[in-house]
């Protein structure tokens, strides 16, 4: 077997971000300092650096999106959230229009405002030519299986949309909305005083919202939706067996707004194989790929770099980890699927 998984292999990047100056300024103005989600500094991004990274890493196309903390930066300021969402979507749409062979984009929605999100879906698809949508793992406590999202899912399901899930900090149901910026982090995320959000909170919150999508039957109900889950499924492959078993015994909590759909591992795996894809963005990929491999086949993995939150040189270095891991599990044809062909098929315009 040849080593067909490194820097020189053509790739389509389904997990990459832009960080334009207007967005950096908005994040800072919202009180998130020194960097978003309490990170040490804002990421360094420019169009020139992004294109250079793509050239060096043989990325044929990047599907860009807004990372955490998203475009709705103040929970009690809907007008600002809508305005920034539209500005960001306009920016990424213009990238695609200017470089149609290089860029696609996943549009943001101004959630948790359901009416404004419904309007932006139509604008993003019909006017801006979006390739899908990015959903944070929660929108101020609005997680993936929340019944309040039904109108949004119904519209997206009608459009057979692709939804890219991106982690953000967790948010308890009763978290205060009058506290914003960096000060908010200690109210909503355990151990934020000790660790930056990507260390643990991002992984766990991704898992939390995907489990919510499954256990409530949300993913099954909106069967035309296709979901891209970041970081190789985060903790999902490690906890799915236990989550399903305990849920089948206990169900949803009495008085909860969630309904509980009982799943066996076999049924849940069939659902995952039908509607979910898993990107390879992030570190410590070897164990995660091995774990996820028992749930899905080669046709359910896609490449992701997570630039610029993973610095451009580091993202190129991670191609070496991919080169070392994928040939242990997949043949050359399957590796080509993972790095490019699966994304082409998933994101092909119908």
């Amino acid at each position: 077997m040849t080593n067909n998984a490194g820097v020189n292999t053509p790739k389509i990047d389904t997990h990459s971000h832009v960080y334009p100056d207007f967005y950096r300024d908005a994040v800072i103005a919202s009180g998130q300092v020194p960097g978003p989600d309490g990170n040490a500094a804002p990421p360094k991004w420019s169009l020139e650096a992004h294109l250079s990274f793509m050239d060096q890493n043989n990325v044929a196309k990047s599907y860009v999106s807004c990372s955490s903390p998203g475009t709705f930066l103040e929970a009690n300021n809907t007008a600002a959230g809508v305005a920034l969402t539209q500005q960001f979507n306009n920016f990424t749409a213009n990238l695609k229009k200017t470089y149609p062979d290089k860029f696609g984009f996943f549009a943001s929605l101004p959630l948790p405002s359901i009416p404004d999100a419904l309007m932006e879906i139509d604008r993003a698809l019909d006017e801006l030519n979006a390739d899908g949508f990015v959903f944070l793992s929660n929108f101020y406590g609005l997680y993936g299986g929340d019944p309040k999202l039904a109108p949004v899912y119904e519209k997206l399901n009608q459009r057979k949309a692709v939804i890219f899930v991106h982690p953000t900090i967790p948010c308890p149901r009763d978290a205060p909305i009058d506290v914003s910026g960096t000060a908010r982090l200690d109210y909503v995320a355990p151990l934020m005083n000790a660790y930056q959000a990507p260390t643990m909170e991002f992984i766990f919150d991704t898992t939390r919202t995907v489990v919510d999508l499954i256990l409530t039957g949300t993913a099954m109900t909106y069967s035309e939706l296709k979901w891209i889950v970041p970081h190789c499924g985060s903790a999902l492959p490690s906890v799915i067996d236990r989550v399903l078993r305990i849920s089948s015994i206990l169900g949803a909590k009495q008085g909860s707004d969630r309904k509980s759909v009982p799943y066996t591992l076999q049924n849940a795996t069939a659902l995952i194989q039908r509607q979910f894809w898993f990107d390879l963005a992030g570190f410590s990929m070897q164990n995660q790929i091995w774990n996820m491999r028992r749930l899905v086949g080669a046709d359910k993995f896609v490449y992701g770099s997570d630039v610029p939150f993973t610095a451009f040189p580091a993202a190129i270095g991670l191609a070496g980890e991919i080169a070392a891991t994928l040939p242990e599990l997949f043949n050359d044809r399957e590796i080509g699927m993972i790095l490019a062909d699966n994304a082409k098929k998933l994101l092909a315009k119908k």
Side-chain angles (χ1 to χ4, degrees):
M1 179 183 295
T2 60
N3 189 335
N4 189 36
V7 170
N8 293 327
T9 308
K11 304 173 187 67
I12 293 179
D13 192 349
T14 64
H15 185 155
S16 62
H17 305 294
V18 295
Y19 209 82
D21 289 346
F22 73 84
Y23 181 68
R24 180 202 62 205
D25 293 345
V27 171
I28 292 172
S30 75
Q32 297 218 26
V33 290
D37 295 320
N39 283 299
K44 296 180 179 179
W45 181 86
S46 69
L47 175 59
E48 295 73 21
H50 200 128
L51 289 170
S52 176
F53 160 75
M54 292 173 66
D55 183 60
Q56 293 177 62
N57 198 29
N58 204 359
V59 174
K61 194 167 190 176
S62 287
Y63 287 87
V64 296
S65 58
C66 186
S67 182
S68 178
T71 55
F72 206 114
L73 297 176
E74 300 174 60
N76 56 359
N77 192 341
T78 298
V82 171
L84 185 60
T85 299
Q86 292 182 346
Q87 186 178 11
F88 202 99
N89 288 343
N90 291 344
F91 180 87
T92 49
N94 188 60
L95 272 182
K96 179 178 179 177
K97 184 176 180 180
T98 306
Y99 303 92
D101 296 329
K102 289 288 187 181
F103 290 105
F105 76 102
F106 299 135
S108 295
L109 292 177
L111 290 167
S113 176
I114 304 295
D116 291 301
L118 293 174
M119 287 190 289
E120 189 65 9
I121 289 171
D122 289 333
R123 192 181 82 93
L125 291 175
D126 298 333
E127 297 180 27
L128 302 182
N129 194 26
D131 297 282
F133 296 87
V134 54
F135 272 45
L136 295 182
S137 52
N138 79 85
F139 297 93
Y140 297 101
L142 195 67
Y143 280 88
D146 198 305
K148 297 185 190 70
L149 286 168
V152 175
Y153 289 141
E154 287 170 4
K155 174 164 277 197
L156 292 174
N157 193 64
Q158 291 170 2
R159 305 299 291 266
K160 299 183 179 180
V162 173
I163 298 177
F164 166 54
V165 177
H166 195 280
T168 189
I169 57 171
C171 185
R173 181 175 181 177
D174 297 324
I177 65 170
D178 57 345
V179 179
S180 61
T182 305
R184 180 178 172 81
L185 302 183
D186 290 337
Y187 284 87
V188 297
L191 294 178
M192 279 298 299
N193 62 312
Y195 304 99
Q196 293 185 3
T199 305
M200 289 186 289
E201 302 300 348
F202 276 16
I203 296 299
F204 298 146
D205 213 53
T206 297
T207 307
R208 183 176 292 116
T209 207
V210 173
V211 166
D212 198 25
L213 285 168
I214 294 171
L215 293 186
T216 57
T218 300
M220 178 176 62
T221 298
Y222 303 103
S223 59
E224 298 292 344
L225 295 179
K226 300 176 178 66
W227 305 83
I228 301 175
V229 181
H231 307 127
C232 204
S234 296
L236 184 68
S238 297
V239 303
I240 187 67
D241 306 66
R242 175 179 172 84
V243 163
L244 293 172
R245 178 66 64 86
I246 298 299
S247 177
S248 68
I249 297 170
L250 299 179
K253 192 173 182 179
Q254 188 173 5
S256 167
D257 59 1
R258 302 298 202 264
K259 64 178 183 179
S260 181
V261 177
Y263 281 98
T264 64
L265 181 60
Q266 182 179 7
N267 291 340
T269 300
L271 172 71
I272 291 168
Q273 289 174 336
R274 185 175 68 248
Q275 287 181 248
F276 289 84
W277 283 254
F278 301 91
D279 77 44
L280 300 187
F283 298 86
S284 302
M285 293 307 307
Q286 184 171 2
N287 289 338
Q288 287 180 280
I289 295 173
W290 278 90
N291 287 338
M292 184 55 74
R293 182 67 179 84
R294 72 185 178 92
L295 296 178
V296 297
D299 61 329
K300 291 299 178 176
F301 293 98
V302 290
Y303 172 73
S305 68
D306 209 358
V307 294
F309 288 82
T310 297
F312 292 113
I316 293 174
L318 286 174
E321 293 189 26
I322 289 176
T325 300
L326 292 187
E328 298 178 3
L329 288 168
F330 305 102
N331 60 38
D332 280 357
R333 181 185 66 83
E334 291 171 326
I335 290 170
M337 291 165 55
I338 291 167
L339 296 183
D341 295 341
N342 292 339
K344 286 181 183 177
K345 185 176 180 180
L346 173 63
L347 295 164
K349 293 293 186 180
K350 300 297 188 290

